Amino acid sequence: MPKACHIKKGQVVQINGQLYTVKTIVVQTPSARGASTLYKIRFDNVRTNQKLDQTFRGDDMIEEVALDRAEVEYSYPDGDNYVFMDVNDFTQHTVTKADLGDQADWLQEGLDGITAFLLDGAIISIELPPAIESAVVETSPVIKGASATARTKPATLENGKIVHVPEYLAVGEIIRVSTEDGHFIGRA
């Protein structure tokens, strides 16, 4: 059983006999001495899609469910669904946009390194790689003399997400972006 501090978005856990997928995690570090870090986690019920909000301390144990795991590659969108291909046996799985939530924003054709959690042969959740590479398609012009300072500008990526990047980046550059929180990591 993992501790609450080790839970990641997309994992499937068991609470009160029900299966839940971790959708969001908010970490709160109290300033008082001796206080523990709190993890506010929003879960979605696998079967009913009902939301459940719970708060845990970092050392609280959460029961993880033993599901089948498969390495999949994102293939293409199909209306409100997304099609993934198992890289081992080439079977295709369809997942709805509602099941993926905000993870769907990071999908791009050919994205590999995705772990799928399977229940009865169907994908119920995915775990994205920690970072993806994407091209900058729109941003303000490069400022002459800009250096690697803390000043940033918004840039639109090829998947439509807007990320704050350093001022020295130009259109067409390939960058690495965190899939956890959407922040700029560096050039690819």
Side-chain angles (χ1 to χ4, degrees):
M1 282 201 286
K3 293 183 178 181
C5 61
H6 296 125
I7 294 294
K8 294 181 183 174
K9 201 172 3 175
Q11 278 186 302
V12 179
V13 299
Q14 185 170 350
I15 300 173
N16 299 330
Q18 297 285 323
L19 297 181
Y20 289 92
T21 305
V22 177
K23 288 299 180 181
T24 60
I25 302 171
V26 177
V27 180
Q28 291 183 333
T29 307
S31 60
R33 283 185 278 158
S36 356
T37 302
L38 299 176
Y39 295 83
K40 291 187 175 189
I41 304 175
R42 170 164 280 179
F43 301 99
D44 277 356
N45 189 305
V46 169
R47 303 247 186 247
T48 64
N49 278 340
Q50 262 187 323
K51 294 182 182 352
L52 173 70
D53 292 323
Q54 288 201 339
T55 303
F56 300 94
R57 280 192 231 107
D59 56 355
D60 288 348
M61 302 300 271
I62 299 177
E63 187 176 345
E64 188 174 17
V65 178
L67 296 172
D68 294 329
R69 293 173 186 240
E71 186 178 334
V72 296
E73 179 181 292
Y74 172 64
S75 296
Y76 58 90
D78 183 22
D80 283 343
N81 297 323
Y82 294 91
V83 179
F84 294 88
M85 180 184 67
D86 190 319
V87 297
N88 295 321
D89 61 8
F90 306 111
T91 57
Q92 293 192 348
H93 302 278
T94 303
V95 183
T96 65
K97 184 173 184 156
D99 288 342
L100 293 178
D102 61 346
Q103 289 180 316
D105 296 340
W106 297 109
L107 296 176
Q108 52 195 26
E109 283 190 33
L111 179 63
D112 56 1
I114 302 170
T115 302
F117 298 97
L118 302 161
L119 180 66
D120 299 328
I123 294 178
I124 59 169
S125 178
I126 64 168
E127 184 177 277
L128 292 172
I132 63 163
E133 293 182 359
S134 187
V136 175
V137 295
E138 183 181 332
T139 189
S140 58
V142 174
I143 298 173
K144 188 171 179 141
S147 62
T149 63
R151 295 188 345 201
T152 61
K153 62 182 180 181
T156 305
L157 303 179
E158 56 192 345
N159 60 6
K161 292 290 278 184
I162 297 176
V163 176
H164 289 278
V165 299
E167 291 179 329
Y168 59 83
L169 289 177
V171 171
E173 292 197 53
I174 308 292
I175 62 170
R176 290 181 54 78
V177 180
S178 167
T179 57
E180 293 275 327
D181 54 10
H183 73 272
F184 169 80
I185 295 175
R187 286 181 173 158

